[in-house]
Amino acid sequence: MDATFPRARKNQLGYNTAEVEDFLQLARRAYDGRVRADDRELNSERIRLTAFSMQKGGYSTAHVDAALERLEDAFAARERQVAARLHGDEVWLSEARTTAQVVSNRLARPEGQRFDRTSILSLGYNVREVDRFADKLTRYFRDGWPIGIDDVRAVVFTAQRGGYRESQVDLVLDAVVDVMLAVR
């Protein structure tokens, strides 16, 4: 039997194959409009937030993550088409502009103060690294500076005691991805 994705080596961790296969079946049904009564709702945001358990010899995380990004793009494009049909392109773009303004306001805060900090005993994202990336995003929103959606999806920050609260940074990055998908 052929695997959907390449597998990690037997002694290395990859994504749980059964979970990935189940998710792909759900996504296929959702995209084709053949949802079952017991299927959970699936949209581009849920795809972005999807996580799988790890198992030795599971599916290659890089290959599955790349497929999830393509799937998210496809769902986002369809969501935009549906919204444009129902409400018009201007409403869709207006929502994207509003989100972009909220993100821009957050990123305009002074360095070191853009997000809540963890306690000195807890780990958060490295403040300097996040601020550097936030400056790139500010240039993207303000000046049209080129930055790709994959750059936002793939950004990784090292840990730091007393760093930025990860959940807040992640929410802003998710909002940036939403805006980028909306204006494609």
Side-chain angles (χ1 to χ4, degrees):
M1 178 173 152
D2 290 335
T4 306
F5 298 100
R7 289 182 177 259
R9 291 191 176 114
K10 289 185 181 189
N11 62 344
Q12 291 182 332
L13 291 175
Y15 288 137
N16 180 294
T17 57
E19 290 178 13
V20 172
E21 292 296 338
D22 288 346
F23 179 80
L24 290 177
Q25 288 177 7
L26 169 69
R28 192 171 293 119
R29 287 192 306 270
Y31 194 80
D32 293 342
R34 297 179 292 114
V35 294
R36 297 180 184 162
D38 61 335
D39 283 346
R40 66 182 192 270
E41 183 185 346
L42 193 61
N43 57 30
S44 59
E45 181 181 10
R46 287 241 172 131
I47 292 169
R48 185 178 328 123
L49 300 175
T50 296
F52 303 108
S53 302
M54 304 297 279
Q55 74 179 56
K56 287 190 176 184
Y59 283 145
S60 160
T61 57
H63 289 89
V64 173
D65 288 346
L68 287 176
E69 289 171 4
R70 290 189 302 274
L71 193 58
E72 179 189 357
D73 290 346
F75 270 72
R78 189 180 69 179
E79 290 162 13
R80 179 179 179 167
Q81 289 173 344
V82 168
R85 243 182 288 133
L86 293 174
H87 309 291
D89 270 335
E90 191 52 42
V91 170
W92 177 265
L93 291 173
S94 175
E95 288 179 20
R97 279 192 291 272
T98 300
T99 302
Q101 188 61 56
V102 170
V103 169
S104 293
N105 291 345
R106 166 70 68 167
L107 300 177
R109 293 178 180 181
E111 287 186 11
Q113 299 174 27
R114 290 181 171 139
F115 301 94
D116 289 343
R117 305 284 281 268
T118 62
S119 77
I120 196 67
L121 302 175
S122 300
L123 292 175
Y125 286 144
N126 182 287
V127 173
R128 278 197 198 123
E129 291 174 7
V130 173
D131 281 343
R132 248 191 319 264
F133 194 72
D135 290 341
K136 289 180 183 181
L137 292 175
T138 297
R139 288 193 299 273
Y140 166 79
F141 284 113
R142 187 186 60 216
D143 306 327
W145 189 269
I147 187 168
I149 195 168
D150 291 334
D151 297 325
V152 179
R153 286 176 171 152
V155 70
V156 177
F157 305 111
T158 56
Q160 167 190 345
R161 291 200 184 283
Y164 281 142
R165 190 166 307 283
E166 294 176 9
S167 59
Q168 281 191 334
V169 175
D170 291 344
L171 281 172
V172 168
L173 293 177
D174 284 346
V176 170
V177 169
D178 285 340
V179 170
M180 291 174 137
L181 287 171
V183 298
R184 271 189 168 181

